[in-house]
Amino acid sequence: MRRMWSWVAVAVMSLSSVALGDEVKGDREELGRTIRFTRKDAVVGQAEEQRLRMEMTQDFHVTGPEMEPEPMSLKSVMVQNQVLTTLAAKGRVITQQKIAYGEVRDVTKDGDGKETREVAAVSGKSYLGEFKTGRILVTDLRGMAVTKEVRETVLSDLEGLGEEDPIVAAFPEAPLKIGDSVERVAQAFQASLQKGGGADGVKFKDTRIQLSEIRHEVRGPVGVFAVSTTLEVPSDEETPVSMSVTYQGTMNVLAAGTVLISFSMAGPLTLTPTPEMHKLGMRIEGKGDSRLVLTTQVLPPPPEK
């Protein structure tokens, strides 16, 4: 699960490539009731499409002594589509990739209906990333240097290039049965989220991942995991309000190759004034929520010329 996404206010996770054909291991009694996750080498030339959509809604009112209720309302939708193509690898470690961005945009609408649309500098463009001499080098397709803004975006989306995916490595070699928790995977997932957490003080905590279902598809068994985590964004000098989101959702992982094939989670968003502002009478009422959906698929190879 090398590169999963760049959070707008949240984080980055990672993806790997699809392998087909593994079967559930075990004797006749356990057949179909346990699942074993395997690892595989990266496939040079393989392309994978990732589609991410993140929505955040806030509909709150702030009240306090001698003030009229003030609305805090907005809706934000971030969309990011990209295709990753492996160009070089050593075993399970990808060392060079092409990243072709489709649409990358963030649209925000405030309570008055005013819409702000931001299109990322990388939208519709392609770049190369290569792990070399201990760091990731980013260029355009001609090998030329890119701007700092582009470099930072691509580095975020290619984070982990040149090293084994820590989330895949955290999966146990022994079979899992429904109800099993995978604490090492949860820790690796939380650490990955934390890397892309954004501003100082943003924290993820209480992350849990538990196998809830085993599905049998044409490409092999898929583990369905229940996922929960809590995001906390602290207040600062400019905004005396903290934010928290309690996420719950599911993560579908193909057993052959330990491949994330889809992920979704959502949860209520809470705004809380600082203790000092609360003592002064500041109150926040209303509701909010955040939702994230990611899907991936391996693309068929291009036709031979």
Side-chain angles (χ1 to χ4, degrees):
M1 297 172 198
R2 185 159 309 278
R3 287 151 287 282
M4 186 158 117
W5 60 75
S6 299
W7 291 78
V8 173
V10 196
V12 176
M13 190 180 154
S14 40
L15 296 173
S16 61
S17 307
V18 168
L20 305 179
D22 247 23
E23 295 181 355
V24 173
K25 311 294 184 180
D27 57 27
R28 293 181 61 87
E29 182 180 353
E30 290 298 316
L31 187 63
R33 293 162 54 186
T34 64
I35 185 170
R36 186 192 300 273
F37 292 88
T38 64
R39 299 174 177 85
K40 76 176 191 68
D41 290 347
V43 179
V44 174
Q46 183 168 279
E48 182 179 78
E49 182 183 49
Q50 304 175 10
R51 292 182 172 271
L52 169 71
R53 181 181 178 89
M54 179 179 174
E55 301 179 6
M56 183 174 290
T57 302
Q58 298 181 25
D59 187 12
F60 296 94
H61 285 83
V62 181
T63 60
E66 300 180 1
M67 68 172 287
E68 294 293 328
E70 181 178 343
M72 294 179 62
S73 299
L74 65 83
K75 181 175 182 179
S76 176
V77 178
M78 189 277 282
V79 174
Q80 178 169 327
N81 302 324
Q82 60 196 39
V83 174
L84 294 164
T85 304
T86 299
L87 301 180
K90 296 179 180 179
R92 295 195 295 268
V93 177
I94 299 173
T95 57
Q96 186 180 30
Q97 272 193 324
K98 172 186 173 182
I99 182 167
Y101 289 95
E103 186 180 25
V104 184
R105 59 173 170 80
D106 188 1
V107 179
T108 301
K109 183 179 293 186
D110 64 20
D112 295 327
K114 181 180 179 181
E115 184 175 283
T116 302
R117 179 181 294 265
E118 295 183 9
V119 179
V122 298
S123 186
K125 301 176 182 177
S126 299
Y127 303 92
L128 298 175
E130 181 179 12
F131 183 78
K132 196 172 184 180
T133 62
R135 63 193 183 101
I136 300 174
L137 304 178
V138 177
T139 67
D140 64 15
L141 297 186
R142 299 172 297 170
M144 304 298 291
V146 297
T147 66
K148 180 181 178 182
E149 178 185 5
V150 167
R151 180 177 179 274
E152 290 178 350
T153 299
V154 176
L155 282 177
S156 177
D157 290 329
L158 296 184
E159 184 176 6
L161 198 67
E163 60 186 45
E164 185 174 4
D165 187 315
I167 298 177
V168 173
F171 269 81
E173 295 183 2
L176 294 173
K177 63 181 183 297
I178 293 175
D180 283 348
S181 295
V182 281
E183 294 184 6
R184 288 185 58 220
V185 177
Q187 291 170 4
F189 179 43
Q190 181 169 292
S192 182
L193 292 176
Q194 194 63 51
K195 283 183 180 179
D200 292 340
V202 174
K203 180 174 67 174
F204 290 86
K205 67 176 188 178
D206 301 332
T207 302
R208 294 179 175 84
I209 299 179
Q210 182 181 47
L211 182 64
S212 60
E213 182 185 351
I214 299 172
R215 290 207 317 263
H216 297 274
E217 301 183 358
V218 173
R219 52 188 162 179
V222 172
V224 181
F225 292 86
V227 180
S228 62
T229 190
T230 298
L231 166 68
E232 293 184 346
V233 181
S235 59
D236 56 34
E237 294 182 358
E238 295 183 0
T239 308
V241 175
S242 63
M243 182 182 79
S244 66
V245 183
T246 304
Y247 286 107
Q248 290 187 333
T250 58
M251 178 168 62
N252 299 325
V253 183
L254 184 68
T258 312
V259 181
L260 180 74
I261 54 178
S262 66
F263 178 90
S264 65
M265 65 180 186
L269 184 153
T270 303
L271 299 180
T272 306
T274 62
E276 294 79 10
M277 296 303 295
H278 189 271
K279 287 182 179 179
L280 294 175
M282 182 179 184
R283 301 291 186 269
I284 302 177
E285 297 180 351
K287 62 181 180 180
D289 59 72
S290 178
R291 179 179 300 274
L292 176 76
V293 178
L294 172 79
T295 59
T296 74
Q297 66 170 335
V298 172
L299 300 179
E304 295 183 3
K305 295 183 179 180

